[in-house]
Amino acid sequence: MKIRIANYRNIPFEYPLEFELKDGITFILGPNNVGKSNLINFFYDFRSIFVRNNFDQHSQPGMNFKLDHVFFDQLLCRNTEKDRIYLEISNDKDHTVCYEIFSLKSGTNHTKDVGLRITLKNVRVNTSELRDILDDIENLLKKTFIIGVYRTPLMIASGDSLDLNIGSAFINTWAEWADGGDIGKMKKIKQLKDELKVLFNYSSFDIRIDKDKSNFIVTNDDGEFLLKELGSGIGQFILILATALMKTPSYILIDEPEISLHPKMQEIFVRALAAKSERGLLAVSHSIALARSVSDRIYTLVKNENSRPKILPYGQHYQPTISQSINEMSYSQYVEIGGNNILLVEGRTDIKSFREILRKYELENKFIILSFGGSQFMTKEKTRIVEELQEIKRLNPNSINVIFDSEKTSETAMLKNEFKIFKETCEELGFNVFSTDKHSTENYISQAAISKVVGNQYCALSQFENFKTVQNKWPKEKNWLMFLEMEKDDFLGTQLDEFIQTTLRSVSTIATG
């Protein structure tokens, strides 16, 4: 879904901001004061316009709705003579819905009552194409869960922070879910507590509300504590993950997810949060390390030659090598996230997939997992491959390991010649290399996991079936969620299981020099 915003806060009419909102995890990186938070705030300010029947009710000028959060003049671009904010949303067929938002009070914009005019581009009224895009807009954007940069500690305030209830408001909501007698809600709270127990590596873990309903009491391996005694990190996990579980949002938007969290926990937090959305997560952030660890795509928000914000694909100005990518993340810090063993996988979606696979073997914290750039890198000239991979060796990791899709079409099929050269090159450099015993990573996913994540309309692949040729394909951005649902036993009998159990487990025990 393509989104175009103009004349809002620091986004002028003459230089609209354009970006795509897709399934999966998307990061937008940028420095301070470039307008990253405005992207999050825009959807919070105007979410109510995305209701499906607004098209019928507000297709004529002058129809109004109320902005409950801020005055309209606070939303307008400061350097503009225009008195309107513009939004365009397009699908992949270029069907476009245009929203024009304006003050209903003449002579002043200092009002919370605004009007809405909706027009169309490349799609006609009363057609199935229009119904489809309007339904998709509402389903995706009306059900957003929006998390601001200020995530106030639970017990020292009350009310809300964007979509987060805090203080007593959150305590009361928790009490309703945990002890209100609704079996479905109580199961979800138990599910969350079980998840937090695993995420924080506790043998025992529980959360309950004190008798005065004024605080949370957390029980873990070290004893019983008031939540405020455990720091802001675990409080943030409880507050945000619980709210996401209760809301079941279509899409989650979060400002600086790295705040108040140790680098290792940042990655865990984003993956746990994204798993609770139906479609995906958009984060604006300063952290290249976090973005590279968890995202399916990365953009940068920069200022153009006229000092106006502009979104570009990350790496458009230059194509970093693998070693440069590691150095951008600060290698010493990244070692702390994943141990001092490197695992190179093909694509960006494979990073989270293999993180979940290694979790089954209790090895996820032993490896830094990075994408080497897919078949485009594998088919480079051998000298170029060696040049880039040699740079990784100079980082002096304990081990470097490579997993790539064999793309074999049968048990006896040989690797493509360029894949064979790539494998031999890696082995000559002393890397441990595994080419999948199935066609690709997708071929390891079980039917049960597929059905749970994307539904029964999708079928598991046979051992050598090519995912690219399947007519009804699920989004690859969902792969990691499917691996999250699988068990270690699902990999028994595969050569991937053998590689993990022998090679990866063996190198993970080597002491850091």
Side-chain angles (χ1 to χ4, degrees):
M1 184 173 289
K2 300 173 185 175
I3 296 174
R4 190 171 185 263
I5 301 169
N7 222 39
Y8 171 77
R9 295 189 186 269
N10 74 323
I11 306 168
F13 174 77
E14 296 83 3
Y15 299 97
L17 199 63
E18 301 180 8
F19 63 100
E20 285 193 76
L21 200 59
K22 296 183 178 181
D23 286 4
I25 299 177
T26 301
F27 264 62
I28 298 178
L29 303 173
N32 288 323
N33 204 35
V34 74
K36 298 189 305 298
S37 296
N38 287 342
L39 291 176
I40 301 294
N41 291 330
F42 180 87
F43 292 99
Y44 184 70
D45 291 333
F46 293 112
R47 179 168 46 193
S48 55
I49 73 174
F50 300 128
V51 178
R52 169 69 173 83
N53 61 12
N54 270 342
F55 178 78
D56 300 318
Q57 295 177 4
H58 298 159
S59 56
Q60 298 299 318
M63 295 296 178
N64 72 302
F65 62 94
K66 183 167 283 189
L67 296 174
D68 295 325
H69 317 297
V70 289
F71 291 111
F72 183 69
D73 58 338
Q74 295 173 331
L75 304 179
L76 279 171
C77 179
R78 298 298 193 268
N79 301 312
T80 185
E81 296 180 358
K82 302 280 185 181
D83 61 354
R84 292 165 188 233
I85 294 171
Y86 301 89
L87 167 68
E88 292 184 4
I89 301 179
S90 306
N91 61 15
D92 56 2
K93 298 177 181 177
D94 209 27
H95 299 150
T96 303
V97 180
C98 309
Y99 300 85
E100 186 179 346
I101 307 153
F102 52 91
S103 170
L104 285 170
K105 286 190 177 180
S106 60
T108 177
N109 291 320
H110 202 64
T111 176
K112 293 184 179 182
D113 290 314
V114 301
L116 174 66
R117 181 182 291 112
I118 301 177
T119 54
L120 304 173
K121 291 182 182 178
N122 303 322
V123 60
R124 293 173 297 166
V125 178
N126 297 325
T127 61
S128 60
E129 288 86 358
L130 175 61
R131 289 190 293 272
D132 288 344
I133 187 172
L134 289 175
D135 287 343
D136 200 31
I137 290 171
E138 180 176 50
N139 291 337
L140 180 59
L141 300 180
K142 181 189 172 188
K143 291 177 60 183
T144 50
F145 173 29
I146 303 174
I147 307 162
V149 71
Y150 300 109
R151 301 191 268 278
T152 308
L154 296 177
M155 300 310 118
I156 65 171
S158 187
D160 61 77
S161 174
L162 297 187
D163 282 343
L164 286 176
N165 289 327
I166 58 178
S168 60
F170 179 67
I171 289 177
N172 292 334
T173 303
W174 180 282
E176 176 194 345
W177 279 66
D179 305 308
D182 185 313
I183 299 300
K185 290 181 177 180
M186 292 169 68
K187 282 184 176 179
K188 283 198 170 185
I189 292 296
K190 183 181 183 305
Q191 173 189 335
L192 177 64
K193 290 192 284 190
D194 290 343
E195 180 180 11
L196 290 169
K197 175 182 173 181
V198 173
L199 293 180
F200 284 91
N201 198 28
Y202 288 129
S203 299
S204 61
F205 183 80
D206 191 31
I207 308 170
R208 71 180 192 278
I209 299 172
D210 67 9
K211 62 180 181 180
D212 298 325
K213 289 190 175 181
S214 62
N215 214 320
F216 284 93
I217 298 173
V218 176
T219 304
N220 60 31
D221 298 351
D222 300 316
E224 195 170 84
F225 304 88
L226 293 176
L227 183 58
K228 64 182 181 181
E229 297 180 90
L230 298 176
S232 61
I234 191 168
Q236 182 168 301
F237 267 75
I238 293 171
L239 172 63
I240 295 177
L241 295 187
T243 305
L245 197 66
M246 295 168 184
K247 286 181 175 290
T248 59
S250 61
Y251 216 87
I252 296 173
L253 295 89
I254 183 168
D255 197 342
E256 296 187 25
E258 64 269 24
I259 284 179
S260 300
L261 296 176
H262 182 279
K264 176 181 175 182
M265 298 309 295
Q266 293 170 11
E267 179 185 345
I268 292 172
F269 172 67
V270 172
R271 284 190 284 113
L273 182 60
K276 290 168 180 55
S277 69
E278 294 174 353
R279 299 281 295 274
L281 177 145
L282 171 68
V284 297
S285 172
H286 298 288
S287 177
I288 297 175
L290 180 59
R292 284 193 176 278
S293 302
V294 300
S295 66
D296 297 301
R297 63 199 65 86
I298 306 173
Y299 299 97
T300 51
L301 182 59
V302 297
K303 289 188 176 180
N304 64 14
E305 61 278 3
N306 298 298
S307 297
R308 302 306 186 189
K310 183 177 183 180
I311 292 178
L312 300 171
Y314 181 78
Q316 179 167 306
H317 295 299
Y318 80 109
Q319 293 295 324
T321 64
I322 302 170
S323 61
Q324 285 173 333
S325 298
I326 297 175
N327 287 325
E328 282 179 353
M329 294 185 279
S330 175
Y331 182 65
S332 59
Q333 183 187 64
Y334 209 59
V335 164
E336 194 172 1
I337 296 175
N340 197 21
N341 299 284
I342 293 175
L343 174 60
L344 300 177
V345 296
E346 276 201 53
R348 188 166 294 282
T349 59
D350 293 323
I351 296 174
K352 295 194 299 296
S353 293
F354 278 96
R355 180 69 66 196
E356 292 304 330
I357 292 171
L358 293 188
R359 186 187 300 279
K360 319 297 179 190
Y361 297 84
E362 299 181 349
L363 295 175
E364 74 276 11
N365 292 325
K366 303 292 186 180
F367 291 86
I368 300 167
I369 305 179
L370 296 167
S371 165
F372 59 71
S375 58
Q376 184 178 1
F377 177 77
M378 296 169 67
T379 54
K380 286 183 178 181
E381 293 182 5
K382 182 173 180 177
T383 53
R384 295 285 304 279
I385 294 173
V386 171
E387 182 180 334
E388 287 200 32
L389 296 183
Q390 284 280 19
E391 287 296 317
I392 305 177
K393 292 188 70 174
R394 293 192 182 100
L395 296 171
N396 197 32
N398 290 338
S399 70
I400 302 175
N401 309 273
V402 182
I403 296 178
F404 68 91
D405 293 342
S406 67
E407 299 187 8
K408 291 171 61 175
T409 55
S410 69
E411 191 77 45
T412 57
M414 304 294 289
L415 286 176
K416 297 177 184 177
N417 188 55
E418 57 267 35
F419 287 11
K420 182 173 180 289
I421 293 172
F422 172 75
K423 183 174 185 291
E424 291 172 348
T425 301
C426 291
E427 289 172 339
E428 289 168 7
L429 292 169
F431 299 174
N432 301 307
V433 187
F434 175 73
S435 58
T436 57
D437 52 318
K438 299 190 178 188
H439 184 280
S440 302
T441 306
E442 287 79 16
N443 298 70
Y444 293 94
I445 302 174
S446 69
Q447 182 63 58
I450 293 170
S451 298
K452 186 164 185 178
V453 174
V454 293
N456 293 322
Q457 68 270 33
Y458 299 97
C459 296
L461 305 177
S462 59
Q463 185 171 357
F464 301 107
E465 191 172 2
N466 188 344
F467 182 68
K468 294 178 182 177
T469 64
V470 174
Q471 186 172 4
N472 192 23
K473 293 190 284 287
W474 62 82
K476 291 187 71 171
E477 291 82 6
K478 299 287 187 182
N479 284 359
W480 73 281
L481 292 171
M482 299 175 191
F483 285 118
L484 176 64
E485 296 295 334
M486 293 172 63
E487 303 292 338
K488 180 179 174 181
D489 287 351
D490 291 322
F491 300 94
L492 288 178
T494 67
Q495 293 175 25
L496 174 61
D497 173 72
E498 183 180 350
F499 179 75
I500 296 172
Q501 293 276 35
T502 55
T503 303
L504 296 189
R505 187 173 299 283
S506 175
V507 300
S508 71
T509 62
I510 300 174
T512 303

